[in-house]
Amino acid sequence: MSVALISLSNIQLAFGHVPLLDRAEFTIHPGERVGLIGRNGAGKSSLLKLLAGRIEPDDGDVMRLNGLKVMTVTQEPELDESLTILDIISHGGLEAEDWQRPARAQALIDQLGLDPDARIATLSGGTRKRVALAQAMVAQPDLLLLDEPTNHLDFDGIAWLEAQLLKAPFSVIVITHDRRFLDVVTTRIVELDRGTLFSFPGNFSDWQARKAQWLEAQAQQNAKFDKVLAQEEVWIRKGIEARRTRNEGRVRRLEQLRRERSERRERVGNVRLAVDQGQRSGKLVAELENITHRFGERLIIDSLSTTILRGDRIGLIGPNGAGKTTLLNIILGKLQPTEGSVRLGTNVSVGYFDQMRANLDENATLADTISPGSEWVDIGSQRKHVMSYLEDFLFPPARANSPVSSLSGGERARLALARLFARPVNVLVMDEPTNDLDIETLELLEELLQDYSGTVLLVSHDRTFLNNVITQTLAAEGDGQWSEYVGGYDEWFAQRPARADKPAEAAQRKKDNPPPVREKPQRANRISPWEQKELDAIPDQIAALEEEQARLAESLTDPDLYRDGPDEAAALNAKIQETEARLEALFERWQVLEAKKNE
């Protein structure tokens, strides 16, 4: 084996009374691509910080190769908003003597189809993530640390990142819940479980098979240990009763067994999911007829007609900004389309899982969020106490009266699921439900949705989740066109129209052949010039607010945010609510002005 880049030996790391690393051992070698997995809160991000030298362990040894260059891309990259894309990628504040870096930067920018002169402040979350990834790769590190790199990326962005990592000369450690990404990219899986690091060669599918065998062997070993302990307990009691004397060696052995048993850190139970469909909806859930929708001159949906029936499980997929959430809102009757009609069926009760988690009251307790005014939750024919129900989602009773504002990103996602499933619904609408959930919870959610007899509408960039849940796909094909396919992500990918242009070629073609400017008909209307100017500016204002909303929501997932108390998190949530209110006001104003313009 080659010389190690980094070796961790006997590492101890804790925050408060929670041991994140407990005498942990870990080594990373050149050329390895390691997938780091584990439950939310297990300490994965803290381990990356330790490897990067941003924090020090409480105890143990960290040995790094002399001159080792490590780059990190965090969940929410911090980029200088005053700089351009070219500034960030070609320089990035790193060594000036790397004279080849500008050429490598320009090659990546062309490959991604980015505008080199665009300022960071104007970019969407997905483009920011691509810029941060390109910046790290152009630096040619020895080790690249990636924390949830697929968040904010659409399918094209994920495919680009996979290709880059597969041909990269550096080593990679990646934290992600994207199982397809782990299967494509990794050469080793390392699981962080109750302070210990377990290493498995191969990709995620290999890990699943080996982990099942390992768990079975561990269960047999624990059962054997418990049997010996029970036998020793019986022997001690019988021995004392029979002879009134003790075999001190056996007593010491029992005490040692008890210590070992108490030191065995039991695994926290799995999330237990159940949903009550309640009253069945009518056969027709929703019917869309010739739906067209625009934001200003931007065409989002062009003459879409489709029918959603009870029991359908439909995935809405497409690039970032294609209008997936907009289409969901139109289907649910929350947004009136520019043209066309929507008819909802009878007895439709909708449960909505919002990617921004905006439907959570930050000041409410966990218990009141789940069951306001009652101690009980009814799931079908089963009644559960709210404390027991919260435990199903891994919230101990001691936290039932904690405010929502104190929760981390993963905890907020679990609470949003708990709230969603605490009410009888026959239509589940889930907008990016996989963000912030660990792999075990994702798999349990998949099983629930597979068994759910109601209707599911799902927006996600998790390809495995889509394949395992949906039976048909509604895909954005560009220029407002939406097409229907039978099956999940893989079926759509195999059947989708051929795309002749690579991103860079498409960007150049668009630059060389700008779309024709539409001539506005010369007719009198009641909108004043200043109102027309206001109307023209609203789409850009909406886009900026949506990006700000996404940035703020992503900030809530940073575990460091909650270390010093809930105040900063509460302030962020207040900003999210303020942004939401401003968005609603803008939408309402846009509709008023559009109606006035068309009178």
Side-chain angles (χ1 to χ4, degrees):
M1 181 63 75
S2 57
V3 176
L5 300 179
I6 300 179
S7 292
L8 306 183
S9 178
N10 212 27
I11 294 295
Q12 289 282 128
L13 181 66
F15 286 123
H17 66 284
V18 180
L20 299 179
L21 297 173
D22 189 4
R23 304 298 172 195
E25 306 281 334
F26 176 70
T27 301
I28 178 76
H29 292 275
E32 285 197 290
R33 297 189 298 272
V34 176
L36 179 59
I37 65 174
R39 287 191 164 181
N40 292 335
K44 302 185 296 295
S45 295
S46 296
L47 176 56
L48 287 196
K49 291 177 183 177
L50 191 149
L51 292 169
R54 294 166 59 191
I55 61 174
E56 295 296 325
D58 300 326
D59 196 13
D61 298 316
V62 180
M63 291 163 284
R64 292 183 174 84
L65 189 66
N66 189 34
L68 183 72
K69 183 195 292 186
V70 180
M71 295 293 293
T72 302
V73 179
T74 60
Q75 291 189 43
E76 190 66 25
E78 294 184 5
L79 303 173
D80 188 335
E81 305 220 337
S82 67
L83 298 180
T84 66
I85 288 177
L86 182 61
D87 292 334
I88 288 287
I89 298 179
S90 63
H91 302 295
L94 296 178
E95 59 269 33
E97 70 270 16
D98 185 0
W99 59 273
Q100 292 181 321
R101 176 166 176 156
R104 297 196 303 271
Q106 189 60 58
L108 266 184
I109 289 171
D110 292 342
Q111 186 183 114
L112 287 168
L114 299 174
D115 177 3
D117 298 322
R119 296 205 171 271
I120 300 299
T122 67
L123 304 182
S124 66
T127 306
R128 282 172 180 257
K129 181 60 72 75
R130 294 191 196 206
V131 169
L133 290 165
Q135 177 194 33
M137 292 176 187
V138 166
Q140 294 187 324
D142 302 303
L143 176 62
L144 178 60
L145 307 177
L146 302 176
D147 196 347
E148 294 290 0
T150 62
N151 281 0
H152 294 306
L153 293 184
D154 54 23
F155 295 133
D156 287 341
I158 294 171
W160 167 81
L161 179 57
E162 288 173 346
Q164 291 297 315
L165 296 182
L166 287 174
K167 67 182 182 183
F170 44 76
S171 297
V172 180
I173 301 177
V174 56
I175 298 172
T176 182
H177 61 264
D178 189 325
R179 292 156 289 176
R180 175 73 68 89
F181 186 84
L182 289 169
D183 262 350
V184 171
V185 168
T186 58
T187 58
R188 178 159 63 114
I189 297 293
V190 172
E191 182 183 15
L192 177 53
D193 183 12
R194 291 161 288 170
T196 302
L197 292 166
F198 300 91
S199 181
F200 300 84
N203 61 16
F204 181 77
S205 294
D206 297 328
W207 169 83
Q208 284 186 308
R210 290 186 173 90
K211 182 63 183 295
Q213 297 169 356
W214 182 83
L215 286 174
E216 182 179 355
Q218 187 185 49
Q220 292 174 355
Q221 182 180 356
N222 287 344
K224 183 178 180 181
F225 180 94
D226 292 343
K227 184 177 180 181
V228 172
L229 175 58
Q231 289 171 343
E232 290 294 325
E233 293 275 12
V234 171
W235 189 92
I236 289 293
R237 289 197 299 273
K238 295 295 183 183
I240 292 173
E241 292 170 4
R243 294 185 300 277
R244 305 290 181 185
T245 61
R246 298 190 185 191
N247 181 319
E248 293 300 325
R250 297 290 292 267
V251 171
R252 286 194 295 272
R253 172 172 162 76
L254 175 60
E255 291 173 348
Q256 178 62 25
L257 285 170
R258 285 174 174 165
R259 279 195 297 272
E260 290 178 16
R261 184 66 177 81
S262 67
E263 290 170 0
R264 187 199 301 169
R265 292 180 62 186
E266 296 293 350
R267 184 170 183 79
V268 179
N270 289 326
V271 173
R272 293 185 286 277
L273 301 180
V275 62
D276 178 14
Q277 180 188 337
Q279 184 181 12
R280 286 208 315 173
S281 69
K283 185 176 181 181
L284 175 71
V285 173
E287 185 177 47
L288 281 65
E289 234 181 276
N290 294 321
I291 295 299
T292 294
H293 195 70
R294 295 183 179 87
F295 286 129
E297 294 298 317
R298 184 183 172 205
L299 183 62
I300 302 294
I301 304 167
D302 186 9
S303 301
L304 171 63
S305 296
T306 189
T307 301
I308 300 171
L309 301 178
R310 182 180 63 231
D312 283 348
R313 295 203 293 272
I314 301 174
L316 278 66
I317 66 177
N320 291 336
K324 301 183 291 294
T325 301
T326 298
L327 179 54
L328 274 184
N329 287 328
I330 289 175
I331 293 172
L332 298 177
K334 291 186 172 185
L335 180 64
Q336 189 69 25
T338 307
E339 299 172 19
S341 62
V342 178
R343 180 164 69 97
L344 290 179
T346 58
N347 297 327
V348 172
S349 57
V350 177
Y352 187 65
F353 186 91
D354 173 22
Q355 65 170 316
M356 309 305 296
R357 322 290 192 251
N359 58 353
L360 295 177
D361 182 350
E362 298 301 314
N363 298 316
T365 66
L366 274 60
D368 284 342
T369 298
I370 299 303
S371 184
S374 173
E375 293 183 357
W376 300 96
V377 178
D378 293 316
I379 308 293
S381 60
Q382 185 181 14
R383 167 166 277 205
K384 279 193 170 187
H385 194 275
V386 67
M387 298 292 191
S388 175
Y389 184 73
L390 282 169
E391 284 189 284
D392 287 348
F393 290 83
L394 306 185
F395 294 108
R399 298 198 64 187
N401 292 316
S402 300
V404 171
S405 59
S406 68
L407 300 182
S408 68
E411 290 171 332
R412 292 168 65 86
R414 290 205 309 271
L415 184 66
L417 285 175
R419 185 177 186 273
L420 175 64
F421 296 154
R423 292 156 176 75
V425 294
N426 50 41
V427 178
L428 282 174
V429 179
M430 313 193 83
D431 194 349
E432 295 290 1
T434 64
N435 287 352
D436 302 319
L437 294 180
D438 56 44
I439 290 173
E440 286 188 12
T441 306
L442 283 182
E443 291 176 341
L444 291 168
L445 179 58
E446 285 174 354
E447 291 177 13
L448 179 141
L449 294 178
Q450 288 164 359
D451 296 335
Y452 180 60
S453 57
T455 306
V456 177
L457 300 177
L458 172 66
V459 172
S460 178
H461 289 125
D462 188 317
R463 296 158 293 179
T464 301
F465 192 81
L466 287 166
N467 280 338
N468 291 343
V469 171
I470 65 175
T471 57
Q472 62 191 92
T473 299
L474 191 55
E477 308 284 15
D479 299 323
Q481 299 300 312
W482 292 75
S483 301
E484 296 183 81
Y485 299 84
V486 174
Y489 169 84
D490 285 343
E491 287 82 1
W492 164 77
F493 189 84
Q495 300 173 58
R496 66 178 182 164
R499 299 169 61 187
D501 292 327
K502 296 180 180 178
E505 294 167 349
Q508 187 60 42
R509 181 169 55 84
K510 186 175 180 181
K511 184 177 179 180
D512 294 340
N513 301 286
V517 177
R518 295 187 181 183
E519 294 292 337
K520 293 184 180 179
Q522 298 296 320
R523 66 178 182 85
N525 59 47
R526 299 182 182 178
I527 192 169
S528 66
W530 66 267
E531 286 176 322
Q532 181 64 56
K533 185 176 181 180
E534 179 187 3
L535 178 60
D536 293 342
I538 286 178
D540 288 340
Q541 294 172 7
I542 288 174
L545 281 175
E546 286 178 337
E547 290 173 9
E548 174 70 4
Q549 189 181 45
R551 185 187 66 78
L552 291 169
E554 191 68 22
S555 298
L556 285 172
T557 66
D558 183 359
D560 291 342
L561 178 67
Y562 304 89
R563 189 179 303 168
D564 299 326
D567 292 346
E568 190 173 351
L572 276 174
N573 280 296
K575 289 181 181 178
I576 289 176
Q577 291 176 357
E578 179 189 346
T579 304
E580 181 74 22
R582 291 167 62 192
L583 268 173
E584 289 181 6
L586 272 176
F587 276 122
E588 290 176 5
R589 181 61 175 164
W590 179 78
Q591 288 180 320
V592 168
L593 292 176
E594 275 288 325
K596 192 172 182 180
K597 172 184 173 183
N598 295 319
E599 285 179 354

